[in-house]
Amino acid sequence: MSALASAGQRQPVLHFAKHDHVLVTSSLMTIKTAIQDGRFVRYCSGSTEHSVVQQYVADYADTILQSVKTADLLFQTSNEAAAAWCYRVPEQLPVVDVVESLEDQSESDIGMITERVFNKGRSSCFQAHGPFIYIHWFGTVPSMQRQGYGGQVMKAITDIADAENKWTYLEASDQGYHLYIRHGFEVLEELRVTPDAPVMLGMGRPPR
């Protein structure tokens, strides 16, 4: 584990390994709390009721936890306000193979539909820009938003991307759009999971 801090940051950003179970568990809680406030997650849960969405995210936590097996860039502010799990593509994920493996999945499974659409977006990014850093999970606890914590985590990620001369890619809702724009991201494409789902944006940031 290392602390990435610079002048003016309110909290050090911890960069830790996936075998650090304490920080993995605490960052998972941060991510779960952050994403249950999102419109896209509410859509996937089929409800706007907080208890239903909360249970959906709790059930989905196992899927989130599985992704830590491939994540090699994990971050969290020391006050547990914001966290991110990222991995390098294609080193950590054979993008095209994943897309093809999802082609036969049920069209009624919103999780599989979402993963198929998102993977096609990642594949497009790879084809256009080569190996990149993918931000799989990113979020700030709602009660601690607009205090700079998400920006601190994002800077830690993009600093590594710049050092490696790689693009950074993520799927964004309109709620996170302005934060990503401030950090140099641009919209690459709109991602439509279903006609009535909230629009998600495939956003990329070139290295600096």
Side-chain angles (χ1 to χ4, degrees), residues 173-193:
S173 67
D174 58 351
Q175 291 167 285
Y177 172 82
H178 295 291
L179 169 66
Y180 307 138
I181 289 293
R182 286 198 301 272
H183 283 269
F185 285 79
E186 57 193 62
V187 176
L188 302 181
E189 63 179 323
E190 288 190 358
L191 302 171
R192 292 276 184 176
V193 175

Side-chain angles (χ1 to χ4, degrees), residues 62-177:
D62 286 343
T63 300
I64 299 175
L65 194 56
Q66 288 297 313
S67 69
V68 80
K69 294 179 179 179
T70 55
D72 61 346
L73 298 170
L74 297 96
F75 304 88
Q76 184 177 39
T77 54
S78 60
N79 64 348
E80 303 179 4
W85 291 0
C86 319
Y87 54 79
R88 294 173 172 90
V89 175
E91 289 93 335
Q92 298 295 327
L93 177 68
V95 179
V96 176
D97 290 347
V98 172
V99 173
E100 291 175 350
S101 71
L102 292 168
E103 290 299 328
D104 296 328
Q105 298 294 336
S106 170
E107 290 295 334
S108 64
D109 186 326
I110 188 64
M112 288 297 99
I113 295 171
T114 299
E115 195 61 23
R116 183 163 61 248
V117 171
F118 284 6
N119 267 295
K120 286 182 177 178
R122 295 165 205 155
S123 182
S124 295
C125 182
F126 175 72
Q127 291 168 10
H129 305 296
F132 62 92
I133 290 177
Y134 172 53
I135 303 175
H136 195 174
W137 300 105
F138 178 90
T140 304
V141 172
S143 63
M144 305 184 83
Q145 291 177 355
R146 301 186 184 279
Q147 298 180 50
Y149 300 125
Q152 292 170 216
V153 172
M154 184 59 71
K155 185 177 185 304
I157 298 168
T158 56
D159 281 353
I160 291 175
D162 290 344
E164 297 183 6
N165 195 35
K166 291 180 178 178
W167 277 67
T168 312
Y169 179 85
L170 51 73
E171 295 94 16
S173 67
D174 58 351
Q175 291 167 285
Y177 172 82

Side-chain angles (χ1 to χ4, degrees), residues 28-72:
L28 175 61
M29 183 59 65
T30 297
I31 291 167
K32 285 169 56 180
T33 304
I35 68 173
Q36 67 188 22
D37 187 52
R39 280 186 283 275
F40 186 75
V41 171
R42 291 201 297 270
Y43 168 80
C44 290
S45 74
S47 176
T48 58
E49 292 186 20
H50 179 72
S51 60
V52 176
V53 178
Q54 193 173 38
Q55 184 59 54
Y56 173 83
V57 173
D59 293 341
Y60 196 52
D62 286 343
T63 300
I64 299 175
L65 194 56
Q66 288 297 313
S67 69
V68 80
K69 294 179 179 179
T70 55
D72 61 346

Side-chain angles (χ1 to χ4, degrees), residues 2-35:
S2 61
L4 306 174
S6 62
Q9 287 190 336
R10 297 183 184 89
Q11 295 287 326
V13 176
L14 308 176
H15 179 198
F16 55 95
K18 57 190 171 185
H19 54 72
D20 188 327
H21 300 298
V22 173
L23 285 174
V24 166
T25 300
S26 111
S27 61
L28 175 61
M29 183 59 65
T30 297
I31 291 167
K32 285 169 56 180
T33 304
I35 68 173

